[in-house]
Amino acid sequence: MAAQANPVLHHNHHFPFSLTSKTLHLSLSLPKPSLSLTSSSFSFSSSSSYASSRSLHIPRVSTAPVDYAPPAPDYDFQQEILRLRALSTKLSKKKTIKEKLKLIDRDSRVKRFFNSRRNWFSRVSPHLNLDSYDFFLLKCLVAAGQEHVLSLGIESVESDFETARGVVKHAFFSLVEVIEKFDLNGNGGGIREFEEGQMVLDKEELRDLKKLLVNLGEIEKFYDCIGGIIGYQIKVLELLACSKPERYSKNWSGQKNHAIDSEFLEIRAPIGPDLSQNIEYASQAALWGIEGLPELGEIYPLGGSADRLGLVDPDTGECLPAAMLSYCGRTLLEGLIRDLQAREFLYSKIYGKQCITPVAIMTSSAKNNHKRIMSLCERFGWFGRGRSNFQLFEQPLVPAIGADDGLWLVTKSFAPICKPGGHGVIWKLAHDKGIFKWFNGHGRKGATVRQVSNVVAATDLTLLALSGIGLRQKKKLGFASCKRTAGATEGMNVLIETKNLDGMWEYGLSCIEYTEFEKYGITEGSCSQGSLESFPANTNILYVDLHSVEKVVSTNSEKSLPGMVLNLKKPVAYVDQFGRKHSVSGGRLECTMQNIADSFFNTSSSRCYKDVEDILDTYIVYNERRRVTSSAKKTRKHASVSLHQTPDGALLDILRNAHDLLSPCNIDVPVVECNEKYVDSGPPYLILLHPALGPLWEVTRQKFSGGSISRGSELQVEVAEFLWRNVQLDGSLIVLSENVMGSLKIDENGESLIHYGQRCGRCKLEDVKVLNKGIDWNVEDNIYWKLEVQRHEGCKIILHGNAEFEATGVVLQGNHVFEVPDGYKLKIAPRTSGFEAQLGQIELDKQDTGSWYWNYKIEGSHIKLEYVEL
């Protein structure tokens, strides 16, 4: 079909609209001096699944900004919730789509929308080739009060428009009707007839409609346990009403969960072992965790959009998810796998067995999250773990809503703003996607869960002790926690005590998100009962018993979506189709994964006054905050003195941990002071050690002894078989190895798998001084947490394959690069002036084991290392 010239409607008329309702007064006027009505023509082939070969006739009107300043609308939440609940209940009793359609067609909103002569959809729907399920999804959307999503050319993107709800929509529909009474020549007339080929639905709109239907289908299916699309909207409105109780009449109790059969009684801080104080118990718990590694899986919720990081691909300009953040020289996802492999390496050193942990990763389509994570795993050859030891499952996106009325926010026709629905969807999604069965097929009983932005979660023994206690004591869920930071946007762990209507008492550990503090009367204040400081932080580091969690979510009830909240603390920012930026008060329905604990409460016939934690199926462990949580969640604002939850602040915590690790080894390391000290100057030094050196600190400390690290120095050690004895570092020392923990071998399925302890690189430094100018700390462009720094000089040791490096009694001054080929050992020894280098081939019978190694053995509740030279 030949393209037609865009008809433009010019009028000098002014159309005032004065509408009055009980609480709303507004005046709408068209922008002067003219109003443009545009259209375009397009031809579609019969192969399109959403269009026939005929043109689709759709009236449109341009949407220039309209002056509008109404007072707050009087929207009856109570009646809307009751209406939707009644409809949802009736729909749940219908078995077939045909029956559901027949029922929903009787809904007042559906009848009004789909039977309206002004509605474009009723005119073109015969030509869209939609099936009955597509119609059902769209009618659910309309029944849920979201017909504006289907409005074509009549937008609801301005926040003011969204708050005016039905009144403003009616005004716009009236406006369209008036405009349609004018013909294209500007002369008034009757209702304009749309002839074939005059106006059509273009390719982009068809694509958006198809995408909308896919998204609606995912919401309807995933949220089936609460009623699909309509149930989603009910829950949104209930939570909105809870946030502003004045929206309900005084005798209204509809905001309460009907499933509640107990009265809230008390919350208090839970009691649990402090791993930083009870050293013997912590060491024993960590050994339980190492021993139980073959029974553990790993779960990573990586579906979040991480908008606060503002991460952008420098080449394409596309937004990136948090997992792709380059941190300390590698992406955050690589850091998670590296931490896991360090624990597996430790297991192999103690027990002489190989252990590859299955990893389940929840992704989303936000910011191409799923595709990017899949591509990263493929690029790194699945990290030498084999494709079969990974499962990636994608969470659905959910619509963002306006805080005033629960309307879905849209950028254009058919395009609601959608974001991931919180990490709590992970449990139901794992059940729907067969992840629990997959873990069971790998012989796994429990799993550790951690978030990608927390870069210190695997420090020392926190994760191992957490999982060890869970496995050993057959617990259903465990929290790793620490002291809260005042003013932090983080939840808190609590012990909840309730009394049922039948007189029984219930106890359990849970989490209250920071967005819900007001509901519980919890405020900032002194360290007293009821103040934030008296409760520990929720860190989202969990141990879960897989069978117990699966049992809960397999009920397909509301328990499958734990901790549903509506976070309205942050505005929703977006750009509409005209390039206009918006920031409106709103949020989306989110679930919190840690609140699956609410399904594991224990019952007692009498009230428990002490030691209640001993009878619970849930538990909590504590450690120093910087050994539990420090996150790279948001970009540091320019000139901001706060480094909390920024990559910069997390790096300082890594360095504090390095100080705490090495100082007991009789190594002189400067103290890392408070964050404010380094806002403008950068960190005092860089010390980055591969976790396979431990990861338990008692293991790492047996590899380091004596010496010093001067302020302004840099130490990077990327090798597990390492010895440091009386080394003085003033400058930059970097040790890199290809085979940090072992070498790759091809298994019977043709997959490359790491073989721990075989053909490792090795480095031994004894009585060595490393002196050079190191990092240029005056370069303003240095980004220390990315390891993007300029150096004057440095000493770099590069080990290929199973290469070895030894330096004894020498001074390595100035700029040096020692690169050792696979199968060789480079020895640096002193001579009269400087040092000499001796390169020799490693004996054949030592190619796999090396010329020396660390022998690990368990003595009591501790691990002892023995240096063995062959």
Side-chain angles (χ1 to χ4, degrees), residues 810-833:
V810 296
V811 177
L812 302 178
Q813 189 165 6
N815 203 43
H816 295 284
V817 176
F818 301 101
E819 190 163 2
V820 190
D822 184 20
Y824 285 81
K825 175 191 287 189
L826 179 62
K827 298 182 69 172
I828 306 298
R831 65 179 184 184
T832 306
S833 175

mmCIF file of all heavy atoms in Angstrom, residues 810-833:
data_model
loop_
_atom_site.group_PDB
_atom_site.id
_atom_site.type_symbol
_atom_site.label_atom_id
_atom_site.label_comp_id
_atom_site.label_asym_id
_atom_site.label_seq_id
_atom_site.Cartn_x
_atom_site.Cartn_y
_atom_site.Cartn_z
ATOM 1 N N VAL A 810 66.139 -11.679 48.564
ATOM 2 C CA VAL A 810 66.478 -10.709 47.524
ATOM 3 C C VAL A 810 65.711 -9.407 47.723
ATOM 4 O O VAL A 810 64.707 -9.351 48.430
ATOM 5 C CB VAL A 810 66.163 -11.268 46.115
ATOM 6 C CG1 VAL A 810 67.025 -12.485 45.824
ATOM 7 C CG2 VAL A 810 64.699 -11.590 45.974
ATOM 8 N N VAL A 811 66.210 -8.383 47.072
ATOM 9 C CA VAL A 811 65.526 -7.095 46.988
ATOM 10 C C VAL A 811 65.098 -6.904 45.539
ATOM 11 O O VAL A 811 65.952 -6.856 44.637
ATOM 12 C CB VAL A 811 66.429 -5.939 47.439
ATOM 13 C CG1 VAL A 811 65.717 -4.613 47.266
ATOM 14 C CG2 VAL A 811 66.884 -6.119 48.882
ATOM 15 N N LEU A 812 63.789 -6.804 45.322
ATOM 16 C CA LEU A 812 63.251 -6.585 43.971
ATOM 17 C C LEU A 812 62.868 -5.111 43.882
ATOM 18 O O LEU A 812 61.787 -4.696 44.292
ATOM 19 C CB LEU A 812 62.036 -7.482 43.727
ATOM 20 C CG LEU A 812 62.276 -9.002 43.890
ATOM 21 C CD1 LEU A 812 60.997 -9.774 43.684
ATOM 22 C CD2 LEU A 812 63.364 -9.470 42.929
ATOM 23 N N GLN A 813 63.800 -4.333 43.370
ATOM 24 C CA GLN A 813 63.614 -2.885 43.342
ATOM 25 C C GLN A 813 63.346 -2.413 41.923
ATOM 26 O O GLN A 813 63.955 -2.892 40.964
ATOM 27 C CB GLN A 813 64.852 -2.187 43.901
ATOM 28 C CG GLN A 813 64.667 -0.684 44.103
ATOM 29 C CD GLN A 813 65.748 -0.081 44.994
ATOM 30 O OE1 GLN A 813 66.704 -0.765 45.372
ATOM 31 N NE2 GLN A 813 65.588 1.176 45.356
ATOM 32 N N GLY A 814 62.402 -1.473 41.821
ATOM 33 C CA GLY A 814 62.073 -0.921 40.511
ATOM 34 C C GLY A 814 61.000 -1.736 39.791
ATOM 35 O O GLY A 814 60.270 -2.525 40.386
ATOM 36 N N ASN A 815 60.956 -1.530 38.502
ATOM 37 C CA ASN A 815 59.903 -2.141 37.677
ATOM 38 C C ASN A 815 60.348 -3.520 37.195
ATOM 39 O O ASN A 815 61.391 -3.664 36.559
ATOM 40 C CB ASN A 815 59.614 -1.234 36.473
ATOM 41 C CG ASN A 815 58.248 -1.464 35.896
ATOM 42 O OD1 ASN A 815 57.268 -1.610 36.619
ATOM 43 N ND2 ASN A 815 58.161 -1.514 34.577
ATOM 44 N N HIS A 816 59.549 -4.583 37.479
ATOM 45 C CA HIS A 816 59.889 -5.939 37.055
ATOM 46 C C HIS A 816 58.628 -6.689 36.618
ATOM 47 O O HIS A 816 57.563 -6.543 37.225
ATOM 48 C CB HIS A 816 60.547 -6.733 38.199
ATOM 49 C CG HIS A 816 61.863 -6.209 38.636
ATOM 50 N ND1 HIS A 816 63.022 -6.397 37.908
ATOM 51 C CD2 HIS A 816 62.220 -5.484 39.732
ATOM 52 C CE1 HIS A 816 64.032 -5.833 38.533
ATOM 53 N NE2 HIS A 816 63.570 -5.264 39.647
ATOM 54 N N VAL A 817 58.788 -7.511 35.583
ATOM 55 C CA VAL A 817 57.747 -8.455 35.175
ATOM 56 C C VAL A 817 58.413 -9.817 35.036
ATOM 57 O O VAL A 817 59.305 -10.008 34.206
ATOM 58 C CB VAL A 817 57.073 -8.050 33.844
ATOM 59 C CG1 VAL A 817 56.067 -9.120 33.436
ATOM 60 C CG2 VAL A 817 56.390 -6.695 33.974
ATOM 61 N N PHE A 818 57.999 -10.767 35.874
ATOM 62 C CA PHE A 818 58.513 -12.135 35.807
ATOM 63 C C PHE A 818 57.400 -13.023 35.231
ATOM 64 O O PHE A 818 56.409 -13.274 35.915
ATOM 65 C CB PHE A 818 58.924 -12.631 37.197
ATOM 66 C CG PHE A 818 59.981 -11.791 37.862
ATOM 67 C CD1 PHE A 818 59.642 -10.869 38.848
ATOM 68 C CD2 PHE A 818 61.314 -11.917 37.500
ATOM 69 C CE1 PHE A 818 60.611 -10.103 39.462
ATOM 70 C CE2 PHE A 818 62.289 -11.154 38.112
ATOM 71 C CZ PHE A 818 61.945 -10.245 39.093
ATOM 72 N N GLU A 819 57.602 -13.497 34.020
ATOM 73 C CA GLU A 819 56.592 -14.322 33.357
ATOM 74 C C GLU A 819 57.158 -15.733 33.196
ATOM 75 O O GLU A 819 58.169 -15.936 32.509
ATOM 76 C CB GLU A 819 56.215 -13.727 32.003
ATOM 77 C CG GLU A 819 55.003 -14.382 31.373
ATOM 78 C CD GLU A 819 54.398 -13.536 30.259
ATOM 79 O OE1 GLU A 819 54.954 -12.453 29.967
ATOM 80 O OE2 GLU A 819 53.372 -13.948 29.691
ATOM 81 N N VAL A 820 56.500 -16.702 33.827
ATOM 82 C CA VAL A 820 57.018 -18.066 33.873
ATOM 83 C C VAL A 820 56.152 -18.975 33.009
ATOM 84 O O VAL A 820 54.931 -19.047 33.215
ATOM 85 C CB VAL A 820 57.048 -18.600 35.323
ATOM 86 C CG1 VAL A 820 57.810 -19.922 35.380
ATOM 87 C CG2 VAL A 820 57.670 -17.575 36.270
ATOM 88 N N PRO A 821 56.747 -19.692 32.054
ATOM 89 C CA PRO A 821 55.966 -20.559 31.170
ATOM 90 C C PRO A 821 55.474 -21.824 31.876
ATOM 91 O O PRO A 821 56.010 -22.232 32.916
ATOM 92 C CB PRO A 821 56.949 -20.895 30.050
ATOM 93 C CG PRO A 821 58.295 -20.737 30.659
ATOM 94 C CD PRO A 821 58.166 -19.645 31.672
ATOM 95 N N ASP A 822 54.476 -22.440 31.286
ATOM 96 C CA ASP A 822 53.903 -23.670 31.806
ATOM 97 C C ASP A 822 54.980 -24.757 31.908
ATOM 98 O O ASP A 822 55.784 -24.954 30.986
ATOM 99 C CB ASP A 822 52.780 -24.133 30.864
ATOM 100 C CG ASP A 822 52.049 -25.360 31.374
ATOM 101 O OD1 ASP A 822 52.122 -25.650 32.573
ATOM 102 O OD2 ASP A 822 51.406 -26.034 30.543
ATOM 103 N N GLY A 823 55.015 -25.454 33.038
ATOM 104 C CA GLY A 823 55.959 -26.555 33.222
ATOM 105 C C GLY A 823 57.318 -26.134 33.724
ATOM 106 O O GLY A 823 58.219 -26.978 33.830
ATOM 107 N N TYR A 824 57.505 -24.855 34.073
ATOM 108 C CA TYR A 824 58.815 -24.362 34.500
ATOM 109 C C TYR A 824 58.746 -23.700 35.876
ATOM 110 O O TYR A 824 57.694 -23.230 36.317
ATOM 111 C CB TYR A 824 59.368 -23.359 33.481
ATOM 112 C CG TYR A 824 59.875 -24.004 32.222
ATOM 113 C CD1 TYR A 824 58.996 -24.374 31.208
ATOM 114 C CD2 TYR A 824 61.240 -24.253 32.045
ATOM 115 C CE1 TYR A 824 59.455 -24.975 30.052
ATOM 116 C CE2 TYR A 824 61.719 -24.855 30.897
ATOM 117 C CZ TYR A 824 60.827 -25.216 29.901
ATOM 118 O OH TYR A 824 61.303 -25.829 28.758
ATOM 119 N N LYS A 825 59.921 -23.653 36.525
ATOM 120 C CA LYS A 825 60.077 -22.959 37.787
ATOM 121 C C LYS A 825 61.132 -21.871 37.613
ATOM 122 O O LYS A 825 62.208 -22.115 37.071
ATOM 123 C CB LYS A 825 60.511 -23.909 38.906
ATOM 124 C CG LYS A 825 60.805 -23.190 40.238
ATOM 125 C CD LYS A 825 61.490 -24.099 41.244
ATOM 126 C CE LYS A 825 60.509 -25.115 41.785
ATOM 127 N NZ LYS A 825 61.129 -25.856 42.929
ATOM 128 N N LEU A 826 60.809 -20.668 38.090
ATOM 129 C CA LEU A 826 61.753 -19.557 38.055
ATOM 130 C C LEU A 826 62.184 -19.258 39.488
ATOM 131 O O LEU A 826 61.357 -18.949 40.340
ATOM 132 C CB LEU A 826 61.114 -18.314 37.432
ATOM 133 C CG LEU A 826 61.993 -17.058 37.366
ATOM 134 C CD1 LEU A 826 63.236 -17.308 36.489
ATOM 135 C CD2 LEU A 826 61.208 -15.861 36.840
ATOM 136 N N LYS A 827 63.510 -19.366 39.746
ATOM 137 C CA LYS A 827 64.055 -19.099 41.071
ATOM 138 C C LYS A 827 64.862 -17.806 41.024
ATOM 139 O O LYS A 827 65.727 -17.632 40.160
ATOM 140 C CB LYS A 827 64.934 -20.260 41.536
ATOM 141 C CG LYS A 827 64.173 -21.575 41.668
ATOM 142 C CD LYS A 827 65.071 -22.699 42.180
ATOM 143 C CE LYS A 827 65.460 -22.463 43.621
ATOM 144 N NZ LYS A 827 66.177 -23.641 44.190
ATOM 145 N N ILE A 828 64.544 -16.896 41.937
ATOM 146 C CA ILE A 828 65.267 -15.633 42.053
ATOM 147 C C ILE A 828 66.126 -15.699 43.322
ATOM 148 O O ILE A 828 65.607 -15.879 44.436
ATOM 149 C CB ILE A 828 64.295 -14.436 42.142
ATOM 150 C CG1 ILE A 828 63.318 -14.452 40.967
ATOM 151 C CG2 ILE A 828 65.069 -13.129 42.199
ATOM 152 C CD1 ILE A 828 63.968 -14.311 39.612
ATOM 153 N N ALA A 829 67.426 -15.591 43.126
ATOM 154 C CA ALA A 829 68.364 -15.720 44.247
ATOM 155 C C ALA A 829 69.284 -14.501 44.287
ATOM 156 O O ALA A 829 69.517 -13.850 43.261
ATOM 157 C CB ALA A 829 69.179 -16.999 44.094
ATOM 158 N N PRO A 830 69.818 -14.172 45.469
ATOM 159 C CA PRO A 830 70.688 -12.989 45.571
ATOM 160 C C PRO A 830 72.060 -13.257 44.967
ATOM 161 O O PRO A 830 72.525 -14.396 44.895
ATOM 162 C CB PRO A 830 70.793 -12.767 47.084
ATOM 163 C CG PRO A 830 70.594 -14.125 47.671
ATOM 164 C CD PRO A 830 69.621 -14.826 46.774
ATOM 165 N N ARG A 831 72.672 -12.199 44.542
ATOM 166 C CA ARG A 831 74.086 -12.261 44.157
ATOM 167 C C ARG A 831 74.715 -10.951 44.619
ATOM 168 O O ARG A 831 74.045 -10.083 45.190
ATOM 169 C CB ARG A 831 74.239 -12.471 42.666
ATOM 170 C CG ARG A 831 73.738 -11.359 41.798
ATOM 171 C CD ARG A 831 73.972 -11.681 40.322
ATOM 172 N NE ARG A 831 73.580 -10.576 39.460
ATOM 173 C CZ ARG A 831 73.614 -10.629 38.122
ATOM 174 N NH1 ARG A 831 74.009 -11.751 37.520
ATOM 175 N NH2 ARG A 831 73.254 -9.582 37.416
ATOM 176 N N THR A 832 76.010 -10.804 44.349
ATOM 177 C CA THR A 832 76.738 -9.652 44.883
ATOM 178 C C THR A 832 76.046 -8.341 44.553
ATOM 179 O O THR A 832 75.916 -7.449 45.388
ATOM 180 C CB THR A 832 78.171 -9.622 44.330
ATOM 181 O OG1 THR A 832 78.804 -10.879 44.592
ATOM 182 C CG2 THR A 832 78.963 -8.487 44.982
ATOM 183 N N SER A 833 75.593 -8.207 43.340
ATOM 184 C CA SER A 833 74.896 -6.994 42.923
ATOM 185 C C SER A 833 73.528 -7.398 42.385
ATOM 186 O O SER A 833 73.412 -8.000 41.316
ATOM 187 C CB SER A 833 75.695 -6.267 41.834
ATOM 188 O OG SER A 833 74.968 -5.152 41.360
#
